[in-house]
């Protein structure tokens, strides 16, 4: 049986909590700003979970992805309706949708 010191256990719990909280925040932003179009491919949006549809977009790199997200691209409005998202959150949202 693996035994952890209380400090190691606390560090593990804290690290896990940050990840869970972060995942919950990203999920909330997805539900609020991305789901409507990306769940069903509305107006040509790549569907969440469609790895093949996301592949050519991901190949362009984060700089191009962020430019398209922030400025809008094709039918997607600027920032995809997530006015309070940071660049890091946009990239996490893309990661979530592209898997």
């Amino acid at each position: 049986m693996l035994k952890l010191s209380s400090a190691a256990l606390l560090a593990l719990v804290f690290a896990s909590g940050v990840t869970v909280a972060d995942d919950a925040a990203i999920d909330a932003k997805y539900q609020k700003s991305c789901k409507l179009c990306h769940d069903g491919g509305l107006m040509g949006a790549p569907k969440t979970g469609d790895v093949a549809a996301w592949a050519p977009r991901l190949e362009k790199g984060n700089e191009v992805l962020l430019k398209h997200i922030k400025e809008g691209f094709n039918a997607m409005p600027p920032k995809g309706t997530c006015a309070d998202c940071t660049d890091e959150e946009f990239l996490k949202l893309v990661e979530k949708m592209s898997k």
Side-chain angles (χ1 to χ4, degrees):
M1 178 174 185
L2 177 66
K3 289 190 176 187
L4 295 173
S5 70
S6 58
L9 183 58
L10 184 58
L12 181 62
V13 169
F14 178 73
S16 296
V18 170
T19 300
V20 170
D22 191 41
D23 288 347
I26 292 301
D27 286 344
K29 287 188 184 258
Y30 173 81
Q31 293 295 324
K32 177 184 168 201
S33 299
C34 308
K35 181 179 177 158
L36 178 65
C37 295
H38 287 281
D39 264 12
L42 189 64
M43 297 184 292
K47 291 181 183 179
T48 298
D50 186 343
V51 175
W54 281 97
R57 292 162 172 86
L58 295 173
E59 288 172 3
K60 293 178 182 180
N62 288 346
E63 187 176 321
V64 171
L65 281 169
L66 285 171
K67 180 180 187 311
H68 288 171
I69 292 167
K70 289 174 164 183
E71 295 176 2
F73 190 74
N74 295 329
M76 186 173 117
K79 295 191 170 190
T81 74
C82 189
D84 65 338
C85 282
T86 65
D87 288 359
E88 182 181 344
E89 289 170 324
F90 282 131
L91 293 175
K92 285 181 181 180
L93 286 161
V94 167
E95 181 181 357
K96 173 186 176 63
M97 290 186 286
S98 64
K99 291 183 176 181

